[in-house]
Amino acid sequence: MNTSLDTNALKARQQAIWASGDYAVIGTTMQIVGERLAEACDLRWDEQVLDVAAGNGNATLAAARRGCRVTSTDYVPELLKRGEERARAERLDVVFQTADAEALPFADGTFDAVLSTFGVMFAPDQARAARELSRVCRPGGRIGLANWTPQGYVGQMFKTLGRHVPPPAGALPPSRWGDEEQLRVLFAGAFDELRISRQLFNFRYRSASHYLEVFRTWFGPMRTAFASLEPEAAAALERDLTELLNACNVGGPASLVVPSEYLEVVITRGR
């Protein structure tokens, strides 16, 4: 972590980005990832589970559906509201609480399992966030993560956005959480066992233009990137993203199916 980076300013910027649009429109399509992670962590009835950087609550709902006592946290209140709406619709008893992944307001060893799907990986101080996940997980408990890989579609999408709208100097790429070696460094000394499997999530849309229409409207990072560019530069970004989408499409000419690789991670906390 570059100590000259103003992490508070970066967090404020991130909060504004994720609060723009409505991430739930995108997030709800990825519910299957939360379900897979809940099964990989072998969640049990009545276990205390924390969802960190929960967004609209995919892992939250998956854990609550398995009878867990879930606390769902995010530092963007607007995202938590969407998760709360979903839990209420299913009559699931979940506690929703605004919290920073780098400073979780819970005592050491509070939770049997700590989860995050495509969330904590965006924390500016990655080492601090990893320490917080470990701290609030009880010895022998599980930390379950779903992290986009650098080489997968989403990793490449963020690289494309970064070429057109460079991130703040000194900021570490979130895709480091999708690198097995970096994960072992982040959680060094904190685990008895670390299991990693490579999974695919398929983005399904009518076409590249349909995907971009949805993401430019509802996905905060892309919405903000396009809004920051002059028309000619925005058109160049659109061309590059369209090229990437079409290159990754396995759905044929009549549809868009883009597999994106992610790591499914289950860490057994050291005793």
Side-chain angles (χ1 to χ4, degrees), residues 14 47 89-90 150 211 240 246:
Q14 287 181 329
E47 284 194 312
E90 294 193 32
Y211 172 100
D240 284 352
N246 287 331

Side-chain angles (χ1 to χ4, degrees), residues 12-31:
R13 174 184 173 184
Q14 287 181 329
Q15 285 175 308
I17 288 173
W18 289 107
S20 67
D22 187 348
Y23 174 74
V25 174
I26 310 298
T28 52
T29 68
M30 294 187 263
Q31 180 61 42

